[in-house]
Amino acid sequence: MEKKNLRIVFMGTPEFAVGSLQRLVENGYNVVAVVTQPDKPVGRHASVLRPSPVKEYALAHGLPVLQPVKMKDELFLEQLRSYNADLQVVVAFRMLPEVVWAMPRFGTFNVHAALLPDYRGAAPINWAVINGETLTGVTTFFLDHDIDTGRIIAQRQFPIPDDADVEYVYDGLMQLGAQLCTHTVDLVLSTDGNAPSQPQQDSDARHAAPKIFKETCAIDFSLTAKRIYDFVRGLSPVPGAWCLLTPRDAQAKAQVLKVYKAAKTGESSNSVEVGTLKAENRRLLVATVDEWLEILELQPAGKKRMAARDYLNGFQHPEHFLLK
């Protein structure tokens, strides 16, 4: 079978998935339909519906789009069957029921932004950076009953520089994932649907990658400067690490402060209360459990993201505050 004859249904939602869909389309693979999440209500009154990046790309290239609320809905299943897919490709979508992933004759494979079995879950890129990893990658695997546990088809590695934030790693893995996606489709084609795969070894699953919520993003200044530094870059620019700017006298209300960029200083803060702030040579520093951490970029509540040196222009007596 030639790639133009292999009927592919693509499933994905965010920008990360667009990279793989675009590579399939631009390289002549036969994508017969796209499945993505329903449009998301946005705006003050949730009165505007925003399509997913995958939907926008699909419509711009004349691809049919399905947006089921429930994956087991019989109408959706009938529509999906009507496309008679040989293969389904999933990138950053949602957990699929067996009636969906087992539908194509060649099965369904997923492109996951980690080196499985490590970092199974919804936010593998964030957690890899948060945990200070120096290496991550992408994995393609066949879907089965449990999330991110199917047989591994192929993997590619991606180094994480010490100063990289999530945006850098996200962009790199999006491109690497797109390459691995078409490589995996070619494997399926060349083996007539019998691409070689290996079971995952659960003993190698050192970390989980659960979904990130607002409370997940709170900075704990009782940790080491290195761990906080990794935490900040692991959440930058989205969703953003945050803390509370708290007056020492407790007379004023604490304010939320987002931190987007920090730097290790190597300067000991062992004798200083954790969370103590100081300004030194137009640098904003906070005490951690072991050393001073410099805050480089931040966003005060109700204001735009800015450099810390600009924030200091209107922030008098930082020593009167703690970060908590």
Side-chain angles (χ1 to χ4, degrees), residues 22-37:
Q22 180 178 3
R23 188 172 176 91
L24 287 168
V25 170
E26 292 184 355
N27 285 276
Y29 294 86
N30 185 23
V31 179
V32 296
V34 169
V35 182
T36 190
Q37 292 279 60

mmCIF file of all heavy atoms in Angstrom, residues 22-37:
data_model
loop_
_atom_site.group_PDB
_atom_site.id
_atom_site.type_symbol
_atom_site.label_atom_id
_atom_site.label_comp_id
_atom_site.label_asym_id
_atom_site.label_seq_id
_atom_site.Cartn_x
_atom_site.Cartn_y
_atom_site.Cartn_z
ATOM 1 N N GLN A 22 0.221 18.805 10.455
ATOM 2 C CA GLN A 22 0.781 19.558 9.327
ATOM 3 C C GLN A 22 1.789 18.715 8.547
ATOM 4 O O GLN A 22 1.784 18.714 7.309
ATOM 5 C CB GLN A 22 1.460 20.825 9.852
ATOM 6 C CG GLN A 22 2.076 21.689 8.766
ATOM 7 C CD GLN A 22 2.705 22.956 9.333
ATOM 8 O OE1 GLN A 22 2.729 23.172 10.548
ATOM 9 N NE2 GLN A 22 3.213 23.798 8.458
ATOM 10 N N ARG A 23 2.626 17.982 9.254
ATOM 11 C CA ARG A 23 3.636 17.154 8.565
ATOM 12 C C ARG A 23 2.975 16.048 7.754
ATOM 13 O O ARG A 23 3.408 15.741 6.635
ATOM 14 C CB ARG A 23 4.615 16.578 9.579
ATOM 15 C CG ARG A 23 5.802 15.874 8.930
ATOM 16 C CD ARG A 23 6.837 15.490 9.968
ATOM 17 N NE ARG A 23 7.934 14.733 9.364
ATOM 18 C CZ ARG A 23 9.050 15.271 8.887
ATOM 19 N NH1 ARG A 23 9.214 16.588 8.926
ATOM 20 N NH2 ARG A 23 9.999 14.511 8.369
ATOM 21 N N LEU A 24 1.900 15.464 8.299
ATOM 22 C CA LEU A 24 1.176 14.438 7.553
ATOM 23 C C LEU A 24 0.566 15.017 6.278
ATOM 24 O O LEU A 24 0.706 14.454 5.184
ATOM 25 C CB LEU A 24 0.069 13.834 8.426
ATOM 26 C CG LEU A 24 0.517 12.905 9.556
ATOM 27 C CD1 LEU A 24 -0.639 12.632 10.503
ATOM 28 C CD2 LEU A 24 1.065 11.589 8.992
ATOM 29 N N VAL A 25 -0.101 16.161 6.417
ATOM 30 C CA VAL A 25 -0.786 16.775 5.280
ATOM 31 C C VAL A 25 0.219 17.216 4.213
ATOM 32 O O VAL A 25 0.056 16.934 3.020
ATOM 33 C CB VAL A 25 -1.644 17.962 5.741
ATOM 34 C CG1 VAL A 25 -2.166 18.752 4.550
ATOM 35 C CG2 VAL A 25 -2.812 17.478 6.609
ATOM 36 N N GLU A 26 1.274 17.906 4.655
ATOM 37 C CA GLU A 26 2.223 18.473 3.699
ATOM 38 C C GLU A 26 3.081 17.413 3.016
ATOM 39 O O GLU A 26 3.685 17.687 1.980
ATOM 40 C CB GLU A 26 3.109 19.504 4.399
ATOM 41 C CG GLU A 26 2.343 20.758 4.823
ATOM 42 C CD GLU A 26 3.239 21.814 5.431
ATOM 43 O OE1 GLU A 26 4.452 21.534 5.624
ATOM 44 O OE2 GLU A 26 2.735 22.925 5.711
ATOM 45 N N ASN A 27 3.140 16.223 3.590
ATOM 46 C CA ASN A 27 3.929 15.153 2.975
ATOM 47 C C ASN A 27 3.075 14.116 2.266
ATOM 48 O O ASN A 27 3.542 13.012 1.957
ATOM 49 C CB ASN A 27 4.820 14.492 4.031
ATOM 50 C CG ASN A 27 6.014 15.343 4.420
ATOM 51 O OD1 ASN A 27 7.047 15.322 3.759
ATOM 52 N ND2 ASN A 27 5.845 16.125 5.479
ATOM 53 N N GLY A 28 1.826 14.475 1.986
ATOM 54 C CA GLY A 28 1.001 13.666 1.107
ATOM 55 C C GLY A 28 0.340 12.450 1.718
ATOM 56 O O GLY A 28 -0.129 11.565 0.985
ATOM 57 N N TYR A 29 0.272 12.384 3.055
ATOM 58 C CA TYR A 29 -0.443 11.275 3.688
ATOM 59 C C TYR A 29 -1.949 11.543 3.600
ATOM 60 O O TYR A 29 -2.394 12.693 3.562
ATOM 61 C CB TYR A 29 -0.007 11.108 5.141
ATOM 62 C CG TYR A 29 1.437 10.670 5.281
ATOM 63 C CD1 TYR A 29 2.469 11.611 5.300
ATOM 64 C CD2 TYR A 29 1.778 9.325 5.364
ATOM 65 C CE1 TYR A 29 3.802 11.218 5.412
ATOM 66 C CE2 TYR A 29 3.106 8.924 5.486
ATOM 67 C CZ TYR A 29 4.104 9.876 5.503
ATOM 68 O OH TYR A 29 5.416 9.484 5.610
ATOM 69 N N ASN A 30 -2.721 10.488 3.577
ATOM 70 C CA ASN A 30 -4.159 10.589 3.320
ATOM 71 C C ASN A 30 -4.948 10.741 4.618
ATOM 72 O O ASN A 30 -5.508 9.773 5.142
ATOM 73 C CB ASN A 30 -4.626 9.353 2.541
ATOM 74 C CG ASN A 30 -6.084 9.447 2.127
ATOM 75 O OD1 ASN A 30 -6.641 10.537 2.017
ATOM 76 N ND2 ASN A 30 -6.701 8.308 1.884
ATOM 77 N N VAL A 31 -4.987 11.954 5.136
ATOM 78 C CA VAL A 31 -5.774 12.239 6.338
ATOM 79 C C VAL A 31 -7.220 12.466 5.910
ATOM 80 O O VAL A 31 -7.532 13.458 5.245
ATOM 81 C CB VAL A 31 -5.229 13.473 7.087
ATOM 82 C CG1 VAL A 31 -6.074 13.762 8.329
ATOM 83 C CG2 VAL A 31 -3.760 13.261 7.474
ATOM 84 N N VAL A 32 -8.098 11.535 6.281
ATOM 85 C CA VAL A 32 -9.483 11.593 5.792
ATOM 86 C C VAL A 32 -10.413 12.344 6.740
ATOM 87 O O VAL A 32 -11.496 12.781 6.334
ATOM 88 C CB VAL A 32 -10.038 10.178 5.538
ATOM 89 C CG1 VAL A 32 -9.257 9.502 4.419
ATOM 90 C CG2 VAL A 32 -10.013 9.323 6.805
ATOM 91 N N ALA A 33 -9.998 12.521 8.013
ATOM 92 C CA ALA A 33 -10.824 13.259 8.968
ATOM 93 C C ALA A 33 -9.989 13.613 10.185
ATOM 94 O O ALA A 33 -8.952 12.986 10.464
ATOM 95 C CB ALA A 33 -12.053 12.448 9.390
ATOM 96 N N VAL A 34 -10.460 14.612 10.909
ATOM 97 C CA VAL A 34 -9.785 15.072 12.124
ATOM 98 C C VAL A 34 -10.797 15.090 13.265
ATOM 99 O O VAL A 34 -11.930 15.568 13.098
ATOM 100 C CB VAL A 34 -9.186 16.480 11.914
ATOM 101 C CG1 VAL A 34 -8.732 17.078 13.240
ATOM 102 C CG2 VAL A 34 -8.029 16.420 10.926
ATOM 103 N N VAL A 35 -10.383 14.582 14.418
ATOM 104 C CA VAL A 35 -11.222 14.605 15.620
ATOM 105 C C VAL A 35 -10.547 15.509 16.648
ATOM 106 O O VAL A 35 -9.355 15.359 16.929
ATOM 107 C CB VAL A 35 -11.406 13.198 16.208
ATOM 108 C CG1 VAL A 35 -12.314 13.231 17.433
ATOM 109 C CG2 VAL A 35 -11.958 12.233 15.161
ATOM 110 N N THR A 36 -11.301 16.454 17.199
ATOM 111 C CA THR A 36 -10.736 17.382 18.166
ATOM 112 C C THR A 36 -11.786 17.729 19.211
ATOM 113 O O THR A 36 -12.960 17.358 19.084
ATOM 114 C CB THR A 36 -10.221 18.655 17.453
ATOM 115 O OG1 THR A 36 -9.457 19.455 18.369
ATOM 116 C CG2 THR A 36 -11.357 19.491 16.901
ATOM 117 N N GLN A 37 -11.379 18.438 20.257
ATOM 118 C CA GLN A 37 -12.301 18.800 21.324
ATOM 119 C C GLN A 37 -13.325 19.828 20.830
ATOM 120 O O GLN A 37 -13.047 20.604 19.901
ATOM 121 C CB GLN A 37 -11.533 19.402 22.499
ATOM 122 C CG GLN A 37 -10.632 18.408 23.220
ATOM 123 C CD GLN A 37 -11.387 17.539 24.206
ATOM 124 O OE1 GLN A 37 -12.307 16.808 23.824
ATOM 125 N NE2 GLN A 37 -11.012 17.605 25.458
#
